[in-house]
Amino acid sequence: MKTGLGLTEDLSVDLAARRWRAWWRRANRHGRLTTMVLFLPPALLLFTIFVVIPIGEAGFLGFFKWNGYGEVTNFVGTQNYERLAGNRVFKSALVNTGLVIAVSLLVQLPLALGMALLLANKGPAAYIFRTIFFLPFILAEVATGLIWRFVYDGEFGLVSSIWGALGAEAPFVLAERGLAMYAILVVVVWKFFGFHMMLFIAGLQNIPRELIEAAQIDGASRWKVTFYVVLPLLKPTIMLSMFFAVLGSLQLFDLIMPLTGGGPSNSSQTIVTYLYQFGIVRLRIGFGSAVGVVLFFISLAFALAYRRNLFPHSAR
Amino acid sequence: MKKFLVAPLAVAGWLSLTQGLAAQETVVKWLHIEANPPIVAAWEQVARDYEAANPGVKIEMQFLENEAYKAKLTTILQSKDRPDVFYSWGGGVFEAQVEAGVLRNISDEMRGDWENTLSPAAVKAFTLDGEVYGAPMLVSQVGFWYNKDLFAKAGVNAEEIATWDDLLAAVDAFKAAGITPIAAGGADKWPLHFYWTHLAIRLGGQAAFVAATSGSGDGFDGPVFVKSGELWQQLTQKEPFQRGYLANTYPEAAGIFGDGQAAMHLMGNWDYNVQRSNSINKEGLSDDVLGWFPFPEVAGGAGKSTDTLGGINGWIFSESASDEAVDFIRYFLSKENQTAMGREGYFIPVAKGSAGEMKNPFFQRISQNIAASDYHQIFYDQMLGPDVGRVVNDISTDLAAGIISPVEAAETVQEAWLDK
């Protein structure tokens, strides 16, 4: 009896082990699981330390009043969020960020697309112009901001020389509350449209020539080829470009700090510069965290809407 | 057997090596914000002298730009590789640091000999609840620097600008003569807050500030601070500043004044050096062209004409600072070293007897002003702490831009103060 029972026990253990081994072999086809076990932990760890924990911390600190020193004890409930909702400068920061997104999508991308369609063909002229348009993107953002500060200078800048040539006194665009944000938008488009143009050119080069030729043989005009063949095939690239443009707009910071620092009198703040100036610089870390949380939810809402609306089939 | 021998030997060797290194060198990391090359060179020399006299101590100078320094300080103070010695303006920012326990208490070192070599009022600026947490280096006063050539050209006599109305009249005269009356660095905001706060000092004197900060009378939304905003807007409505001043930083404004492009510049006495180093020819205005007059009085104001606005700046120590760090600053602030700084006209030192050899006539005069002042108000943006201070800077700029009313400005400050 005893030995018999022992035998079945041995058997069942043996069976379980064998089943597990079989599952492993099946699941680990081409070393998939081994790869996962080896490669996932470092990435997961980094992601947790630098993304998940900070987000959680910001969410936590958003309910406190804390100046960055010592213990976090002063719980204030939703006060930080209430202050935020009533803050004039934060509202203008939201509007400005919306403006950057709008201009990126409605001005920058069409411009980039137009340039890409003109410059996608081979030839020295196309190469030269591509390089010229791409150059601003290579510049560091702080350097770009400093350069444009000089360009916009009403006394010595390029803008003032142009105005002077026309016989008028140049405005100090960065010192005018009504103009500074638009001046920044010009720089944003100037700096980033070349990047999107390159994306589009890469996308265009992936479109099979045969399709275009077939359309041409069928008698389609150049416009029709562009609208009915090229653009639909370019859709994935356009989607990608939109994604970069919106996320980049939400994060706009480095360019603004040297250009205006959010001024004059806080008229050109974006969400991120607002977070820096009103949260970090003023040692209101709790308040700044609340701004961060708002920004996080805006980004999250965008990411979800983007997946649902633009990739209805890939969200499996 | 061999293995057992090697391990302890290796450990012992490693220990002696690290201890040897530690005994060899104590590094004092010294973070400053001084951007003027001659001054930095002079400080560097003091550091090298100290190293020569104290083998085994190494002084490492680190630099951050003014605005960047203020923004990063909180993080730096709590990081692992924090420097030992930091620059400080005292006031509310300093108090927040003390309360958080990130500063080293130097009361023991300060009491007695060292204290006696420094001005008592200056030591008080770095004292909280009877404990000393920092060592003062310099005092400063805010006033109007002016360009004598441009004043002569416009026919304005600086000696006669005694009241706010006189200043407004002078601005009109400069505008009529086609000269930019005043240079200002509006992008940095704090240069503009000098106007709003100095007007409050002239209007309400020490009593108004004490009442507002202690909650014993009118707050920052009281009549004194509303009136400050009104007078400030009287000036800004005349558009007295260089075109585009809201986009200019302080160093740019100092350069404009140093280049002779504007007749006046309301700034601390340090502008004497900064207007030089930021001018196009690096020489700026020479002593015979440069003039200085105090912030004008306001008719009917409760403040005394001798009241001063300025700073008492010095050095603070991170909580983990070594004894050598404190000792080095003590040497740095000694009468001999500070006398040399004063003699060269780098700043107005607070070490007793060190201001006597100052050759700079402006600094001599300002040094006397501060000595004669019953009420030396430390800059609001430092005194009121980082948050309220920045709010004062904001409303001063918003008033100048004309987007808020004096009443709104005063209420905003009071709200921030109550929420402090």
Side-chain angles (χ1 to χ4, degrees):
Chain A
M1 270 300 256
K2 231 180 182 178
T3 49
L5 230 163
L7 195 71
T8 48
E9 243 173 35
D10 276 359
L11 256 178
S12 68
V13 169
D14 198 40
L15 209 69
R18 217 183 299 167
R19 215 177 279 153
W20 193 82
R21 236 176 282 139
W23 171 83
W24 173 266
R25 212 172 299 136
R26 218 177 323 117
N28 197 23
R29 201 162 291 154
H30 309 300
R32 252 179 50 202
L33 279 183
T34 320
T35 317
M36 237 155 92
V37 168
L38 277 176
F39 286 82
L40 197 58
L44 201 64
L45 192 72
L46 287 178
F47 186 75
T48 312
I49 291 175
F50 292 110
V51 180
V52 179
I53 293 178
I55 289 174
E57 263 187 345
F60 173 76
L61 287 174
F63 293 110
F64 287 85
K65 189 173 162 183
W66 186 50
N67 67 0
Y69 288 117
E71 296 287 305
V72 184
T73 49
N74 193 353
F75 182 79
V76 292
T78 56
Q79 195 197 57
N80 286 332
Y81 293 95
E82 286 158 25
R83 293 264 159 84
L84 210 50
N87 190 298
R88 175 177 58 85
V89 180
F90 184 65
K91 277 179 202 152
S92 88
L94 282 179
V95 171
N96 286 341
T97 305
L99 212 59
V100 177
I101 294 176
V103 167
S104 295
L105 292 180
L106 302 178
V107 177
Q108 176 177 270
L109 291 193
L111 181 70
L113 188 60
M115 285 295 170
L117 288 169
L118 287 175
L119 301 175
N121 54 337
K122 294 193 170 100
Y127 286 134
I128 290 169
F129 278 108
R130 266 187 237 174
T131 315
I132 291 174
F133 292 139
F134 190 65
L135 272 178
F137 182 71
I138 300 171
L139 281 176
E141 293 189 25
V142 173
T144 312
L146 289 173
I147 292 169
W148 276 87
R149 231 181 110 85
F150 289 123
V151 172
Y152 281 137
D153 191 294
E155 201 85 54
F156 313 104
L158 183 68
V159 168
S160 85
S161 333
I162 294 171
W163 240 263
L166 297 173
E169 211 173 34
F172 283 76
V173 275
L174 296 180
E176 297 279 340
R177 285 181 55 85
L179 289 179
M181 195 60 217
Y182 296 99
I184 291 171
L185 290 173
V186 170
V187 183
V188 169
V189 171
W190 176 83
K191 177 150 174 54
F192 295 106
F193 94 92
F195 168 71
H196 295 284
M197 180 194 76
M198 281 311 211
L199 281 183
F200 290 143
I201 288 175
L204 286 171
Q205 287 172 345
N206 270 338
I207 295 174
R209 294 252 7 124
E210 301 84 46
L211 288 176
I212 295 168
E213 276 163 17
Q216 280 166 343
I217 290 167
D218 285 345
S221 69
R222 205 179 155 167
W223 286 111
K224 281 190 169 159
V225 171
T226 306
F227 276 103
Y228 297 110
V229 180
V230 174
L231 286 187
L233 287 170
L234 201 59
K235 194 184 163 204
T237 316
I238 295 175
M239 293 295 126
L240 183 74
S241 240
M242 285 173 70
F243 188 77
F244 281 137
V246 172
L247 282 195
S249 305
L250 284 173
Q251 295 167 355
L252 190 63
F253 175 79
D254 329 32
L255 204 60
I256 292 185
M257 289 315 284
L259 259 176
T260 65
S265 73
N266 295 326
S267 60
S268 64
Q269 304 278 11
T270 61
I271 299 177
V272 188
T273 60
Y274 180 84
L275 191 164
Y276 176 75
Q277 305 266 19
F278 287 77
I280 297 170
V281 169
R282 289 164 196 228
L283 298 189
R284 291 159 81 197
I285 308 300
F287 184 75
S289 299
V291 181
V293 170
V294 171
L295 179 61
F296 171 75
F297 279 111
I298 292 174
S299 307
L300 190 72
F302 165 70
L304 292 179
Y306 179 84
R307 272 182 74 89
R308 181 155 310 162
N309 295 328
L310 303 175
F311 288 117
H313 306 298
S314 68
R316 256 175 281 185
Chain B
M1 194 59 203
K2 245 185 185 170
K3 245 186 192 167
F4 289 105
L5 263 176
V6 170
L9 269 179
V11 170
W14 179 77
L15 274 177
S16 66
L17 193 73
T18 49
Q19 271 172 351
L21 277 176
Q24 258 172 23
E25 219 163 58
T26 307
V27 177
V28 173
K29 290 187 219 157
W30 180 23
L31 181 60
H32 68 92
I33 60 165
E34 185 55 65
N36 202 351
I39 303 184
V40 176
W43 290 7
E44 187 120 35
Q45 189 51 49
V46 176
R48 296 294 91 87
D49 291 348
Y50 184 81
E51 284 173 351
N54 297 273
V57 182
K58 193 176 166 348
I59 312 290
E60 201 179 290
M61 289 176 82
Q62 300 174 344
F63 168 75
L64 268 180
E65 188 274 332
N66 189 46
E67 292 299 303
Y69 174 76
K70 289 180 199 163
K72 285 181 185 162
L73 188 58
T74 314
T75 319
I76 296 173
L77 267 173
Q78 296 179 99
S79 79
K80 270 222 176 81
D81 54 347
R82 57 186 162 241
D84 303 286
V85 185
F86 296 81
Y87 197 66
S88 175
W89 293 264
V93 180
F94 162 75
E95 284 169 21
Q97 289 159 349
V98 172
E99 276 156 20
V102 292
L103 300 189
R104 177 178 160 159
N105 187 331
I106 58 161
S107 300
D108 290 343
E109 288 87 347
M110 186 59 86
R111 299 270 174 256
D113 288 351
W114 190 5
E115 196 177 28
N116 291 333
T117 66
L118 300 167
S119 128
V123 176
K124 217 179 116 199
F126 288 94
T127 306
L128 192 67
D129 300 329
E131 302 288 318
V132 186
Y133 293 91
M137 173 175 73
L138 62 84
V139 284
S140 56
Q141 185 191 355
V142 171
F144 276 101
W145 290 99
Y146 72 93
N147 183 322
K148 286 180 181 165
D149 289 350
L150 294 181
F151 267 63
K153 216 176 184 179
V156 181
N157 186 350
E159 308 292 319
E160 283 168 10
I161 302 181
T163 67
W164 186 247
D165 291 333
D166 294 340
L167 182 76
L168 297 178
V171 165
D172 289 337
F174 283 113
K175 293 224 99 170
I179 296 167
T180 301
I182 310 176
D188 283 343
K189 296 177 184 168
W190 59 262
L192 300 184
H193 105 295
F194 287 160
Y195 286 92
W196 191 79
T197 57
H198 218 320
L199 281 166
I201 291 168
R202 290 288 182 252
L203 283 164
Q206 188 163 20
F209 187 78
V210 171
T213 48
S214 65
S216 60
D218 283 333
F220 285 107
D221 53 353
V224 165
F225 296 94
V226 173
K227 181 87 176 159
S228 302
E230 285 167 4
L231 294 181
W232 171 217
Q233 283 194 326
Q234 278 182 5
L235 177 67
T236 59
Q237 274 156 12
K238 289 184 184 292
E239 299 185 353
F241 306 115
Q242 79 274 14
R243 290 186 64 225
Y245 76 101
L246 282 174
N248 285 134
T249 60
Y250 160 58
E252 286 168 346
I256 287 165
F257 178 69
D259 290 335
Q261 302 285 323
M264 294 176 267
H265 192 200
L266 179 70
M267 197 35 71
N269 51 275
W270 59 83
D271 204 38
Y272 176 83
N273 290 311
V274 182
Q275 59 94 6
R276 289 175 174 220
S277 55
N278 283 283
S279 62
I280 292 173
N281 61 11
K282 300 288 163 206
E283 282 166 22
L285 302 180
S286 58
D287 281 4
D288 49 325
V289 179
L290 197 61
W292 189 91
F293 63 88
F295 196 89
E297 289 175 56
V298 176
K304 284 191 247 172
S305 62
T306 53
D307 292 345
T308 48
L309 169 71
I312 300 175
N313 306 353
W315 302 100
I316 52 175
F317 305 87
S318 70
E319 179 254 327
S320 60
S322 58
D323 292 340
E324 285 83 354
V326 183
D327 191 59
F328 166 67
I329 287 300
R330 185 173 178 169
Y331 171 75
F332 179 73
L333 296 177
S334 67
K335 189 182 163 192
E336 294 70 42
N337 283 321
Q338 293 305 291
T339 304
M341 300 295 163
R343 192 167 46 226
E344 297 299 328
Y346 293 155
F347 49 79
I348 301 171
V350 295
K352 274 182 194 159
S354 62
E357 279 187 44
M358 284 196 303
K359 286 178 292 188
N360 183 322
F362 304 107
F363 284 16
Q364 277 175 2
R365 179 172 167 195
I366 288 166
S367 175
Q368 285 158 11
N369 287 346
I370 296 170
S373 163
D374 300 327
Y375 169 42
H376 183 64
Q377 172 63 51
I378 292 190
F379 311 120
Y380 274 38
D381 64 341
Q382 289 300 321
M383 198 64 206
L384 299 178
D387 182 16
V388 188
R390 296 268 171 170
V391 171
V392 173
N393 292 350
D394 267 352
I395 60 108
S396 303
T397 313
D398 289 348
L399 282 168
I403 58 162
I404 56 171
S405 72
V407 174
E408 283 171 324
E411 282 170 354
T412 309
V413 176
Q414 177 65 4
E415 204 177 292
W417 175 254
L418 292 179
D419 186 40
K420 192 176 170 250

